[in-house]
Amino acid sequence: MLRISLCFLVAILAACREGSAENAGGDVALHEKSYVRAIAADTTLAAAQRALDAGHAWRATRLLAPVLRDAARRTPAAVMLAARAAAGWEGWNEVDRLLRGQPWVATEFAGAGYELLARSALEQGKDTVAAASYADSAVRRASDPRARATRTVLLARALDRLNQRDSARATYERASQQLPDLHDWLTLRAAGVTDDSAARARLFATVRNGAARERIGWTDALARERAGDLLGAATRYERLGAMASAFRLRLGPTADSSSRAAIRDSVVRYIQMKGGTAEARLAVEVLDHAFPSLTPDEELIVARSANVSGPVARGLSGYAKGLASPQATAKDRLDYGELLIKAGKYREAPAVLQQVRAPDNLAAQAGYQRGRALLLGGDGSAARTALRAVAE
């Protein structure tokens, strides 16, 4: 399933503050007077703040280390600055360690601590209930419209992950009104959690940005899937060329045995046609998940594709079973042997490569690869014999 990437959220946060020093500190702006005064009053904190503003978050963290070890200097402002620095280098565990359980987070710095905790929970993909709670607290404590809008996006994202789609939709729409420069993208997010197709169409109609409009089809497919309209979503994915997603949905719980058999054949033909591509690799994953046991002919088709696109392990297992197919060729055995060498299975490769005896050009390649495998496996004497035979 397509996922609403947190990278999109990061892009929104960055866009909200593009061209300003507020990009530092994990995109959490902080201009509260009490914070600014506390930073200015300590030369080390001021130096760390300058490093953070310049984009050197790790340097800021190192400058703050001795301050945090000194109980007299470990003020809320110092801890908050350290948390912003940690967010700057994506040290989310450090952010949690610094801020969780601090009583002043609820009263100091207009909710910036809650904003960082919400971002941390979302970035790490854990405790989404806490992320929603932190984001809601951050929104309610925001002291300026821009911070409130940014935090509203965080709240919408947390509600989205909790699958509270109606609440997420309303929150995305609210954020889109607060951030007109990002209206179209946030409207797409709202549409992505809207079950009703007519309501989605109304939202899509308000999208004007060309790049955003190109995402309408994908958003509609995702929304249909989340709403349980699997066949409708599959049709949308097919139109978009995302055949692996379409196959996956058509093989869902509503498919009967005859439908599954027909779709299975379609997936195999698709892998054969697109062999070695990223699309084929995704289709192999769908096939393996839906049908744990494949025929030798099917395994051979999968192996040929995986030999090019990976993963190596899937190519190996495919060849191991697929070579029993009457469709297997000398080239398949050569490819299997070379793949075994690539996987470091030097003792298994020679026996496979020795079976390639015709045509002469493939036999010569197989002989050379067999010599390599023997040498890499530590049998220098046998390797020399094999390589001399190739030369002859």
Side-chain angles (χ1 to χ4, degrees), residues 237 241-251 267 270 278-287:
Y237 282 131
M243 294 304 298
S245 293
F247 290 140
R248 173 177 54 79
L249 294 180
R250 292 194 182 283
L251 286 167
V267 178
Y270 181 79
E279 293 87 349
R281 178 169 176 161
L282 292 174
V284 169
E285 293 177 4
V286 172
L287 185 68

Side-chain angles (χ1 to χ4, degrees), residues 186-256:
L186 290 168
T187 298
L188 282 182
R189 296 303 165 184
V193 291
T194 300
D195 291 353
D196 182 71
S197 59
R200 280 199 307 278
R202 287 193 293 271
L203 289 169
F204 290 145
T206 69
V207 176
R208 295 288 180 264
N209 178 276
R213 289 197 63 80
E214 290 178 359
R215 301 299 302 174
I216 286 177
W218 293 99
T219 303
D220 189 52
L222 171 64
R224 287 177 179 275
E225 182 175 353
R226 296 185 71 176
D229 179 12
L230 302 186
L231 293 182
T235 300
R236 295 300 187 278
Y237 282 131
E238 285 177 359
R239 292 175 183 172
L240 293 164
M243 294 304 298
S245 293
F247 290 140
R248 173 177 54 79
L249 294 180
R250 292 194 182 283
L251 286 167
T254 59
D256 57 32

Side-chain angles (χ1 to χ4, degrees), residues 260-278:
R260 286 175 62 83
I263 298 166
R264 175 176 180 159
D265 290 342
S266 296
V267 178
V268 173
R269 285 196 302 272
Y270 181 79
I271 295 168
Q272 189 170 27
M273 180 179 64
K274 293 284 189 176
T277 65

